[in-house]
Every structure is written in C-alpha cells, then in structure tokens.
Amino acid sequence: MIAIIGAGLGGLTLARILHVNGIEAVVYEAESSLTARTQGGMLDIHEESGQAALKAAGLYDDFLRIIMPGGESMKVYDQHGVLRLSHDHEGSGRPEVHRRDLRGLLLGGLPDGTIRWGAKVVETSADRKVRLADGSTFTADLLIGADGAWSKVRPLVSDAIPAYLGLSFAELNLLDPETRHQDSADLIGGGMMMALGAGRGLLAHREPDRLHVYAAVQVDEPWTAITKDDLLAGFDGWDDRLLRLVRESDTEPFPRAIHALPIGHQWKRIPGVTLLGDAAHLMSPFAGEGANLAMQDAAELAAALIAQPDDAEAALATYESALFPRAEAAAAESAANLEISFAPDAPAGILAFFAALG
Ligand SMILES: Cc1cc2nc3c(=O)[nH]c(=O)nc-3n(C[C@H](O)[C@H](O)[C@H](O)COP(=O)(O)OP(=O)(O)OC[C@H]3O[C@@H](n4cnc5c(N)ncnc54)[C@H](O)[C@@H]3O)c2cc1C
C-alpha cells in the first residue's frame, strides 16, 4: 500500500498522477475536510513546474478555467507610498490561482475514499508503521511524507528541524473591496503588491472576494499573537494609504512565523520512505516556489514510480537525485530574496532583481 501523508498540493498532485496511471494510493490528512481551514492565498503557477505537473495530472485545461484574470500584474511601492514599479505581467507564463480552487481541482480528480480526512499522524517508525491520533495504526509498503513544515515522516530520514528566520507575518483581510475598500483595491491593483522598507513589508494580493494582506516584520521572537495597534506601531512613519491595509482589515491579524529547513537539506536513502514539498525543503515564500516545487516533486516522484513499478527503491533514488539540487537552488534564491526584500535600502534590491529579469 502506498500511503501519502498530507493532502496539500504536493500530496494531492502525487495521488492524482498515480491514479491516472493506474496506481492507487491512500492519502491521510489531519484536517477534517477541504474547507476545515481557510485556504488563503493566491499562488502563481509556473510553466516549468506547477503547470507541468497539472499536465501530467490531466488537469491543465481545467486549471485554465480557474486562473484569475489580471492576477499576474505587480506593483512595488516604497514605505512612503511612492509607486516604484508597475507591471502588467499578462502572458508571463505564471498565472495566479486561488489555493482553495487548485486543491479542489486536484481533489475532484480522485476517486471517492482516496482521502482519509481527520487522520492525523502522530508517530512513524522505521518499519513504516504509522500511528494516528485516534490510536489506530497501519503499515505502508511505501510511506511518502507530504505533510508540510512540521512533517511527522521527516524524522525517519533526517534530524533537521525548521528554524525561525527572524521574520513574522500577520495575515489580514479586507472584505468586499469594490464596495468597502475601493482605494485599497486601487492601490493593490489586479494582482500582487509589495511595499517594502527597512525590515518591514506589506505584501498583498487581489483575491476574487477580498484583499489579502500580509504585514511582515523582522522580529527576533516569532509572533504567536499580535494586535492591529501593535502592528501599526511597528509601521510608524509609513504612508497612510499603506497603513489602511492594516487599520481597515475586517479580520484580526493572524500570526504566521516564517521558518525554513537548512538550505541543501537532504538525507540518505531509507527503504520505502521519502518526502516531498515543504516536508523536504521548507523555505521562505520569497522565491514564490514552494507550492510549485511541491507539485513538481509530486510529478517527478510519480514519474519515477510509474517508470520502475517493480523497483521502488530505484524509483526513490532517481527521484531524490534530482530533488536535492533543485530544492537547494530554490532555497538559496528564497533566502537571497528575503534578505534584499528587508534590507536597509529596500525596495532597491527587489527593484534591481526585477530589472535584471527584464
Ligand atoms: C505566507 C506564505 C505565502 C506563500 N506564497 C507562496 C506563493 O506565492 N507561491 C508558492 O509557490 N508558494 C507559496 N508559499 C509556499 C507554499 O504555501 C508551500 O510551499 C506549499 O503549500 C507546500 O505544499 P505541501 O503540499 O508540501 O505542504 P502543505 O501545503 O503544508 O500541505 C501539507 C498537508 O499535510 C497536512 N498535515 C500536516 N501534518 C499532518 C499530520 N501529522 N498528519 C496528517 N496530515 C498532516 C496538512 O494539514 C496539509 O493539508 C507560501 C507560504 C506561506 C507561508
């Protein structure tokens, strides 16, 4: 039995590609349903990774129907509210899609019963025995950790633990923007907006029914709770139009501390066990690659298992030999982008980065 732990984008992509190639797997997911948690966040899906995986999953045409028109546009401001870059990236090959819609698309392509909802893994052991929170156990022939940052499968292959990167986000939402937050909607535009200054940033996306904002601040201790007033105090001196994204949020700030695994995280081959996505290479979101890599990992792991159906060990070795250098390069890019995004002269570094990309 192939057990995939985690029904995020990585786990679902793997299950779907295996399914269309006649290989069934069971996905164990801690949450009780797809809608148990808000699925905030637009994701730009890259041609060479996320989109290629959707093609392998036979879902590319359906994907084209859920992309957000105009979502590729980008605006960069400085902390004084001066617009420093405005780009309509239409046709960039990186269309934006809502995470909830993408997960829904992948889920819809799986036979009933593939996902075991509410199945939280609490322990795994080297013989691939898995214990769930309800006390039940099972043993997998092949155990795949697609269970994100705090993977319960990772300890079977590696001692690495994600480290806090000294950056905390607070998630905010301005609902019903056309009627209630028109000025903020204009500030953000149809896609993504970044406002950057030394050690701080406001990162926002236009979503179909809301403006989704992350207030990001470099702080030594990870935020576990934060109020709007504390947030506003941290952005003292910023342009008032930008601060309205915090002040006028319709939801209280929800903290998210940013962690990463070491750049170049890898492991020795352990029989019948592997990782994909954030479980394998958690990185900060500043390369915009995490979801794309999770889907690419899934597609490459599926391809290796399909190509070598009678030799899972060889398939896992093939998969991991490409995974490690790919993940290392993306993690290094992510770390470099984080540094320039919050440098004392921000947004200069990120403007130079985009200029170099042309
Ligand atoms: C603020 C922010 C913004 C981001 N923006 C982008 C972006 O623009 N573009 C991009 O490409 N990436 C982005 N990312 C990164 C992206 O979200 C992740 O890299 C991606 O979701 C990883 O997918 P995954 O399937 O590996 O893991 P996840 O999406 O984390 O899915 C893991 C699944 O496993 C389940 N699970 C966890 N533990 C257990 C357990 N013990 N038992 C059973 N199930 C379990 C979870 O409930 C979850 O459903 C961003 C991340 C953050 C934090």
Side-chain angles (χ1 to χ4, degrees):
M1 184 261 273
I2 300 179
I4 301 169
I5 313 302
L9 290 171
L12 291 175
T13 303
L14 176 61
R16 165 69 189 181
I17 300 176
L18 291 176
H19 169 67
V20 295
N21 286 279
I23 301 173
E24 299 310 329
V26 181
V27 182
Y28 293 84
E29 167 57 48
E31 290 175 358
S32 56
S33 73
L34 178 63
T35 52
R37 180 171 54 93
T38 55
Q39 298 284 310
M42 300 300 290
L43 300 167
D44 58 322
I45 300 302
H46 304 175
E47 217 164 344
E48 67 286 1
S49 47
Q51 290 181 43
L54 287 163
K55 285 179 182 163
L59 293 171
Y60 183 69
D61 289 343
D62 297 304
F63 161 73
L64 294 179
R65 284 191 270 276
I66 59 168
I67 61 181
M68 182 157 150
E72 289 156 90
S73 78
M74 147 98 73
K75 290 179 192 290
V76 179
Y77 294 88
D78 61 25
Q79 68 185 72
H80 308 295
V82 177
L83 182 62
R84 304 289 296 273
L85 175 76
S86 177
H87 208 292
D88 169 13
H89 282 95
E90 207 63 48
S92 68
R94 297 185 162 195
E96 295 266 341
V97 64
H98 199 287
R99 182 192 296 268
R100 173 198 58 219
D101 296 342
L102 192 52
R103 262 182 105 197
L105 179 65
L106 289 160
L107 259 177
L110 290 171
D112 287 349
T114 303
I115 315 284
R116 305 281 158 85
W117 296 104
K120 181 175 182 176
V121 172
V122 290
E123 195 179 12
T124 54
S125 50
D127 57 358
R128 299 184 297 280
K129 188 170 172 186
V130 176
R131 192 160 63 81
L132 302 178
D134 65 5
S136 63
T137 60
F138 65 87
T139 299
D141 300 312
L142 187 52
L143 180 60
I144 296 157
D147 48 346
W150 307 104
S151 172
K152 292 282 191 241
V153 182
R154 190 192 302 124
L156 295 182
V157 301
S158 156
D159 293 333
I161 295 172
Y164 174 60
L165 296 183
L167 181 69
S168 286
F169 279 20
E171 194 172 346
L172 303 147
N173 293 279
L174 285 75
L175 306 176
D176 203 5
E178 255 68 58
T179 51
R180 302 181 57 241
H181 303 289
Q182 187 61 56
D183 184 58
S184 295
D186 293 343
L187 182 83
I188 291 171
M192 188 192 177
M193 180 222 83
M194 293 186 222
L196 299 171
R200 292 166 293 173
L202 291 168
L203 315 166
H205 271 102
R206 173 70 215 217
E207 293 189 5
D209 64 342
R210 68 188 58 203
L211 308 174
H212 186 233
V213 181
Y214 290 110
V217 181
Q218 286 185 315
V219 279
D220 291 341
E221 289 300 318
W223 287 340
T224 50
I226 185 95
T227 64
K228 268 194 206 178
D229 284 346
D230 288 344
L231 263 185
L232 288 166
F235 283 84
D236 191 31
W238 278 48
D239 174 67
D240 193 64
R241 225 178 145 210
L242 293 170
L243 293 183
R244 284 168 68 177
L245 297 176
V246 177
R247 205 168 46 234
E248 296 183 1
S249 172
D250 295 303
T251 56
E252 289 306 311
F254 184 84
R256 289 187 190 280
I258 304 300
H259 291 77
L261 283 164
I263 296 171
H265 175 238
Q266 51 181 282
W267 55 89
K268 292 198 168 64
R269 181 87 296 291
I270 299 292
V273 185
T274 196
L275 306 176
L276 62 80
D278 280 4
H281 44 64
L282 179 69
M283 61 190 74
S284 85
F286 289 91
E289 293 282 3
N292 285 282
L293 284 180
M295 295 172 74
Q296 183 176 8
D297 296 350
E300 294 200 0
L301 176 54
L305 291 168
I306 293 158
Q308 299 173 86
D310 301 321
D311 192 348
E313 280 313 291
L316 297 188
T318 303
Y319 159 70
E320 288 170 357
S321 68
L323 166 76
F324 295 146
R326 176 172 73 242
E328 180 169 2
E333 184 190 341
S334 173
N337 285 354
L338 188 156
E339 196 169 328
I340 58 173
S341 296
F342 295 91
D345 64 349
I350 212 75
L351 292 171
F353 172 81
F354 286 125
L357 284 182

